[in-house]
Amino acid sequence: MPAQPTLTLYDYFRSSAAYRVRIALRLKGLSYDQVPIHLVRGGGEHLSEDYRAINPQRRVPALAVGEDRTILIQSVAILEWLEETFPKPSLLPADPFSRVRCRAVASIVGCDIHPLNNTSTIKYLRQTLGCDQPAIDAWYTHWISEGFSAIETMIDPKPFAMGEAISLADLFIVPQVYNARRFSVPLDAFPKIVSVADACAALPAFRDAAPENQPDAE
């Protein structure tokens, strides 16, 4: 394994994208500093010009790497960099078809569920489109259920999403289950997904990365 550079994670405890990266950093045994960026307080600290100078998209996570503080953004890109730079333990199955299925599960969460339910989308629904809370709750539940219905057919917990080893799929499933539970989305129809989340919750890397265990937790 290459020598570890200094790492600084710009983070928000409830961000599921940042949650994925926290899990990966811990699974790979990498130390890092955290800089909390509150997405709600004061209208959102991520919207400040100071943070825009770090991440032009003004979202979390961002990861500063090395003494020159090269900035990486977007959780999927950061996870790919971590996997390529610190390949052990691997977060992708060895079998090519299992690897594709793993990436597909991660993509359903990262591309189809999360973008439709993240903080900025919900804010737009509420403030710009004038949706009331019941409508927002229905929207949130719909998109989680749509994505989870597909994932439920694609995984066979043994005990993790892709088998006996943790994979990228688990890193995407666990934060999305956390969000679903936080917003009281019914999960009875998704016993496999719940089983995966519960199995992961027993591991120190997942416990340490959980929102309630972050320094900025409220």
Side-chain angles (χ1 to χ4, degrees):
M1 180 179 292
Q4 183 197 320
T6 58
L7 299 173
T8 301
L9 182 66
Y10 293 85
D11 193 8
Y12 177 57
F13 76 107
R14 282 195 181 128
S15 164
S16 56
Y19 192 173
R20 300 165 197 155
V21 174
R22 293 196 302 263
I23 297 168
L25 288 166
R26 285 168 165 81
L27 285 171
K28 291 182 179 290
L30 300 173
S31 60
Y32 63 97
D33 296 320
Q34 286 174 272
V35 178
I37 303 294
H38 205 290
L39 300 186
V40 180
R41 184 185 300 133
E45 294 174 356
H46 60 300
L47 300 178
S48 70
E49 288 304 312
D50 286 346
Y51 187 64
R52 186 175 187 175
I54 295 167
N55 182 350
Q57 196 183 16
R58 299 189 292 184
R59 295 191 176 190
V60 296
L63 186 67
V65 181
E67 297 302 323
D68 61 353
R69 294 181 59 78
T70 300
I71 300 295
L72 311 181
I73 67 170
Q74 284 289 337
S75 66
V76 174
I78 294 170
L79 291 169
E80 288 177 351
W81 177 82
L82 288 170
E83 184 69 4
E84 291 167 359
T85 308
F86 304 98
K88 294 183 180 180
S90 177
L91 296 177
L92 289 168
D95 172 69
F97 289 111
S98 296
R99 189 173 291 219
V100 169
R101 186 160 51 94
C102 177
R103 286 188 168 118
V105 170
S107 294
I108 290 171
V109 174
C111 300
D112 297 337
I113 300 176
H114 177 234
L116 292 170
N117 283 345
N118 68 13
T119 303
S120 58
T121 303
I122 299 303
K123 182 179 179 181
Y124 187 84
L125 289 171
R126 181 179 290 113
Q127 297 185 358
T128 303
L129 300 184
C131 297
D132 59 15
Q133 194 58 49
I136 291 171
D137 292 343
W139 169 281
Y140 201 97
T141 298
H142 172 77
W143 293 115
I144 288 182
S145 298
E146 283 283 300
F148 275 10
S149 293
I151 292 172
E152 186 74 8
T153 70
M154 297 169 66
I155 62 175
D156 185 18
K158 293 180 179 179
F160 307 114
M162 294 293 113
E164 295 181 359
I166 289 292
S167 73
L168 203 63
D170 302 294
L171 274 63
F172 279 76
I173 287 172
V174 167
Q176 197 60 62
V177 168
Y178 167 83
N179 286 345
R181 286 170 168 163
R182 179 173 169 236
F183 289 98
S184 302
V185 176
L187 295 177
D188 293 346
F190 313 115
K192 292 181 182 178
I193 290 173
V194 170
S195 176
V196 165
D198 290 346
C200 291
L203 301 179
F206 284 83
R207 290 199 304 268
D208 293 344
E212 63 270 19
N213 294 325
Q214 302 316 299
D216 58 328
E218 298 174 348

